[in-house]
Amino acid sequence: MSETAEQGQYQTGYEFVVVANRLAVNRITTPDGSTGWQRSPGGLVTALAPIMTSSEGAWVGWHGAADESLEPFDHEGMHLHPVALSEQEVEYYYEGFSNGTLWPLYHDVIARPLFHRHWWDAYRRVNQRFAEAAGKVAAQGATVWVQDYQLQLVPQMLRDLRPDVKIGFFNHIPFPPPGLFAQLPWRHSVMRGLLGADLIGFQRESDARNFQRAVRDRLGYYIKSEQIYVPLEDETAAPLEGFTADPARGTAPRQLSAPEDGTFRRSEAKAFPISIDTDRIVELANDPKIIARAAQIRAELGNPEHIYLGVDRLDYTKGIRHRMKAYEELLQEGKLQVGTHTMVQIASPSREGVESYQRLRDEIELTVGRINGEFDTMGHTAIRYLHHNYPIEEMVALYLAADVMLVTALRDGMNLVAKEYVAARKDGTGVLVLSEFTGAADQLRQALLINPHDIDELKAAMVQATHLDRDNERKRMRSLRRQVVSHNVQRWAEDFLRRLDQL
């Protein structure tokens, strides 16, 4: 295609493009049996949908069905561009490399990551497809924001295709310490893929530092503050091509001082903690119907004095087993009593095609059955376990009903449930028990912070939560709510895009 034709094509493109593993909509079946689309309820869509509608933006992503190709379509002011995936690619790229290799590796190897070359090949192939799709819809000089660990190669692939666009990347999960990241056979390709972005966002300062250290130690690039100096010679070396697992193995640090102008491009790695749609949560928490539903939930549980609540995807990183062990020991020791105290555990189905998740579900359900078998009474249940997805209205009712929120993740990029609970507690009551290994712990310092691996510390915090005097409880919650309300998901998106624009 001629340069003139390319310019004409870009001018009909979109000034703002989001690239994510999934589209911003879910397919639904209507009451009359027909199918349609519904906007996804997640925080990312909530934050970016207004920006997309005001800027005529496009969203590139997979629509959720394997072996099906769809034409681009519009929904509620958003231009959606589906990327097709085969059933094998879903198995290898998504369930395999993304969730069998990267997810456990990036979450401190709580579960053992698997390194399969055919998974990597599929990951690279699918990332190329996403990059090409983004390149086709982006206007000349557009801003393209790539989301999350499934698409870490897209920034450099897109830069190779469209050097005119401005590229941002945000990693929603943790980035591991360099010693753990070094286990990945394709570590250099992943780092170079990410460094194709002008701005790389992370949840925590520690995540950004981990990435910077990995780049310095493994690639030898010069780094000053948050700026990484990417040698242009490395960008032209096609590091993402071929089947070599680690083409730069053994490379020693080279850039001990700033390189000369014209020989490098800057990429910035910086923390941008994500948040929630606080206005929506507060609005629901003030809804009389939801307030009534919260009272009904307490009544259905037998009106205990204290309700402990856990809300998680069913994932081994969430520490569900740890909190159940702590709760069981407190019941055994008589420090908690069924009837006076009740635990509600919501465990949303997750990655049910992955064997490790199937084993986790079996283990959790056996644990719940054992605890209830030992401690249930005729009128009360020790643990009310619910393996379902619930709409946000029901979740807010649960937040209002619960006296203590248990967030015991062993490793979590942020954990938005903690922030949702805080936003919902408009009367200033409620206690948040929060793992120090979540990104939320950096901001929610007035929670009862715990090490979830320390069962005795977790038990002590659970008991402390039920004995806090009301003044202390309200003081803590007021501080937490100020933080959450003033730093919502819209501000997160605006801060990231403002910084990307400055670069």
Side-chain angles (χ1 to χ4, degrees), residues 156 175 178 181-182 185-196 200 210-223 228-231 233-235 237 239-240 245-256 265 267:
Q156 184 58 51
F175 194 88
F181 183 67
W186 308 278
R187 55 199 175 179
H188 291 82
S189 291
V190 168
M191 284 187 287
R192 287 187 170 121
L194 291 171
L195 288 169
I200 310 166
N210 284 343
F211 178 71
Q212 293 164 12
R213 287 167 54 202
V215 169
R216 182 195 62 209
D217 296 347
R218 294 290 167 183
L219 297 180
Y221 292 173
Y222 177 75
I223 299 174
I228 300 171
Y229 291 65
V230 182
E233 63 182 23
D234 281 14
E235 289 206 324
L240 303 179
D246 195 352
R249 184 183 301 279
T251 298
R254 303 190 308 266
Q255 303 289 353
L256 301 180
R265 178 184 58 79
S267 179

Side-chain angles (χ1 to χ4, degrees), residues 100 221 226 260 370 382:
Y221 292 173
E226 295 158 336
E260 296 179 3
R370 187 188 71 248

Side-chain angles (χ1 to χ4, degrees), residues 31-46:
D32 64 3
S34 62
T35 60
W37 299 97
Q38 183 180 67
R39 182 179 290 188
S40 301
L44 181 65
V45 178
T46 300

Side-chain angles (χ1 to χ4, degrees), residues 48 51 122 157 219 231 237 309 321 323 344 346 374 376 392 396 455 470 492:
L48 298 184
I51 300 174
M157 290 174 166
L219 297 180
L309 175 63
R321 291 172 290 194
R323 80 182 63 138
V344 177
I346 308 296
E374 182 175 354
D376 275 7
I392 187 60
V396 173
I455 300 299
R470 190 62 77 180
W492 164 79

Side-chain angles (χ1 to χ4, degrees), residues 152-186:
Q152 291 176 109
L153 306 184
V154 168
Q156 184 58 51
M157 290 174 166
L158 179 59
R159 182 168 294 280
D160 292 339
L161 295 168
R162 294 290 307 277
D164 60 290
V165 301
K166 187 168 290 187
I167 304 170
F169 180 92
F170 188 79
N171 197 57
H172 292 259
I173 68 173
F175 194 88
L180 290 180
F181 183 67
Q183 296 181 27
L184 183 66
W186 308 278

Side-chain angles (χ1 to χ4, degrees), residues 88 260 283 296 308 327 356 370 402 449:
Q88 185 183 77
E260 296 179 3
E283 177 187 3
Q296 182 184 10
Y308 294 98
Y327 182 62
S356 59
R370 187 188 71 248
L449 298 177

